[in-house]
Each structure stands twice: as structure tokens, then as C-alpha cells.
Amino acid sequence: ARNQMYEMTFESRPLGFAVLSDENGCNAIVTSIQSADKLKSTPLRIGSLIYEINGKRVDQRRHDKIAQLLMSTPCPFDVIFKMDARLKPLLATPTPTRPPPPPPAHKLHKLHEHSMISSTSMESQDVLSADTKVMIDWEQIGQLLLDHRYLPTARLINQALDHLETFCVDEDLHEHNIRDELCKAWSVEDDRGMVLWQILHGHLKYSIPERKWFYDLILHRYFKLENMTTVN
């Protein structure tokens, strides 16, 4: 049927499917089913629109809000899907309902250009002078955020990078002291009041889990700090 509805209960994560917005940046439409074995006996079909999550109607809402609700609702929870052939996904690449490990090796074509911020390197002071500049590669950071599905769309990643880049320039944050601030925020349970908390919470409104994920992602994937341990 053109507008058939069906309900599913998700007992655990990963949910096993990916969603995208429609051409207006709204809704969440199933574009792929990754866990075929897990979902083979269910009515889930590609092209289905998420109509309701745990009794809350979400159709026609902004896609990023639906994706956030989908990822943050504790299991088990119920989802009502609706088949609607009139809806068309916006992008060709699906947005998973959680960041898939390992990250896909692909190039990002949706990010606009971001500048690179010069900074003093702390890693080679024995051979470089104190004035030697290293660049923060915001394009690489944007690619990491996309590869790990930190935000559901490239547009939201672009907005976050714009805020972060401006904040770093205004606060005179360089590569080494950004790394230091990330380490400090990563190592504590409560990051309130720290330098990066001002932008991640104050401007971007990221939750504690989102901020912790951001710190971990940039430290491990961008700065390559693989052997970090928390010291209280």
C-alpha cells in the first residue's frame, strides 16, 4: 500500500538501518538496511519514513532532530514507520543511526572550504624554533566528523566547523594548546567551565556524551594519541 504503516520494537543497538532527509531537510527515510539477518523477519523496507518514536510523532520535523531522538532514546523503544512513495532522499550516501566502526575510507564532497589555523608545534622543539608554525587542518577534522557520523549531515558539520574555527581564532588557540585543552576536558568527568566547553556547550549546545565523543575523536584520530589514560 502507498501509505502503509507498521510498528517495530528495537531492543538493542545498533538498530541496523540508515536514514536520510527528504529534499527539504526534513523527515528520516530508510535508505539502507545493514543488519539483514537481524531484520529479515521484520516489515522494515527501504523508503519507509519514520512516523513516530516512542509515541512521539516526528514526521515533517527537521531531519537532525529526528536523528538525534533516534540515537538518544534508550532501548527498548518503539518506532512506527510509514511507506510513502512520494518522498525522495536528499543524498546518495546514507546516514547510519550510530557511528560505524571502523570509519569508511571515502572522500567528503559536501564540506565547504575551511581555513587552516597556524600554530606552534610542541612535538619537534629540538629541531624547530619556537616560531615554527604548524597548521590545524579543519578539512581533515571535518572529514573525521563525517566519517564517524558525529553529526547526521554535512551542513551541520560545516556549521560546527565555522563556529569552532572562529572561536579558535578569537581565543588565540593553536594546535598544541587545543590539544592540551582537549586532553584536560577528556580526562575529567565534568568539563564545565573549560575553554572548549564554552563553544561546544555554550554555542553548539552539545550534550555531555556528544562533547566526550568529540574530545575522544579528535585526540585519537586527529592528534593520534592512542595510549591515553584518565588520571584523577
Side-chain angles (χ1 to χ4, degrees):
R2 183 184 181 90
N3 293 310
Q4 176 185 3
M5 291 189 181
Y6 54 92
E7 183 173 5
M8 293 179 59
T9 299
F10 293 90
E11 303 285 349
S12 63
R13 287 185 167 82
L15 304 182
F17 63 92
V19 294
L20 280 180
S21 70
D22 61 20
E23 60 227 10
N24 299 314
C26 298
N27 291 306
I29 306 166
V30 178
T31 54
S32 70
I33 299 174
Q34 291 122 12
S35 300
D37 293 338
K38 177 180 177 181
L39 300 175
K40 64 181 180 181
S41 60
T42 71
L44 185 63
R45 296 292 180 269
I46 291 176
S48 299
L49 170 143
I50 295 181
Y51 183 81
E52 188 176 286
I53 299 176
N54 250 14
K56 183 174 184 178
R57 186 168 172 177
V58 296
D59 64 314
Q60 303 307 317
R61 292 190 62 189
R62 284 173 45 191
H63 174 76
D64 57 308
K65 297 295 184 182
I66 303 173
Q68 183 178 22
L69 182 62
L70 194 63
M71 291 186 286
S72 63
T73 302
C75 294
F77 65 96
D78 299 322
V79 177
I80 293 179
F81 295 89
K82 177 181 178 181
M83 288 296 299
D84 191 337
R86 295 170 299 176
L87 294 172
K88 296 181 179 181
L90 175 63
L91 303 173
T93 305
T95 302
T97 54
R98 76 165 196 168
H106 67 277
K107 289 237 181 215
L108 174 62
H109 300 290
K110 293 291 180 179
L111 285 180
H112 59 243
E113 289 187 5
H114 294 269
S115 64
M116 301 173 73
I117 296 180
S118 62
S119 60
T120 302
S121 173
M122 296 292 288
E123 298 180 357
S124 303
Q125 291 184 344
D126 53 335
V127 294
L128 297 178
S129 71
D131 293 329
T132 301
K133 299 295 184 178
V134 177
M135 308 298 285
I136 291 180
D137 189 344
W138 288 105
E139 294 293 341
Q140 182 182 352
I141 289 178
Q143 184 69 54
L144 287 171
L145 296 179
L146 185 79
D147 285 347
H148 289 266
R149 307 303 186 190
Y150 182 76
L151 293 170
T153 66
R155 178 179 60 84
L156 291 175
I157 291 176
N158 277 322
Q159 291 175 353
L161 290 179
D162 287 340
H163 282 291
L164 285 164
E165 188 176 340
T166 301
F167 180 81
C168 289
V169 171
D170 291 344
E171 297 295 323
D172 194 28
L173 290 175
H174 305 303
E175 188 172 85
H176 73 273
N177 55 18
I178 287 178
R179 182 187 61 188
D180 292 343
E181 291 298 332
L182 285 165
C183 288
K184 286 189 288 186
W186 179 88
S187 64
V188 297
E189 184 175 347
D190 188 348
D191 64 338
R192 283 180 296 180
M194 293 193 171
V195 172
L196 291 174
W197 175 86
Q198 298 175 41
I199 178 67
L200 295 179
H201 173 76
H203 293 277
L204 298 176
K205 308 301 181 184
Y206 292 164
S207 65
I208 292 176
E210 288 171 330
R211 297 197 301 273
K212 290 291 186 180
W213 184 14
F214 179 86
Y215 302 147
D216 187 84
L217 187 60
I218 303 305
L219 284 170
H220 286 83
R221 300 295 180 178
Y222 181 78
F223 286 105
K224 310 295 185 184
L225 301 181
E226 300 295 342
N227 298 315
M228 296 175 60
T229 56
T230 301
V231 180
N232 295 321

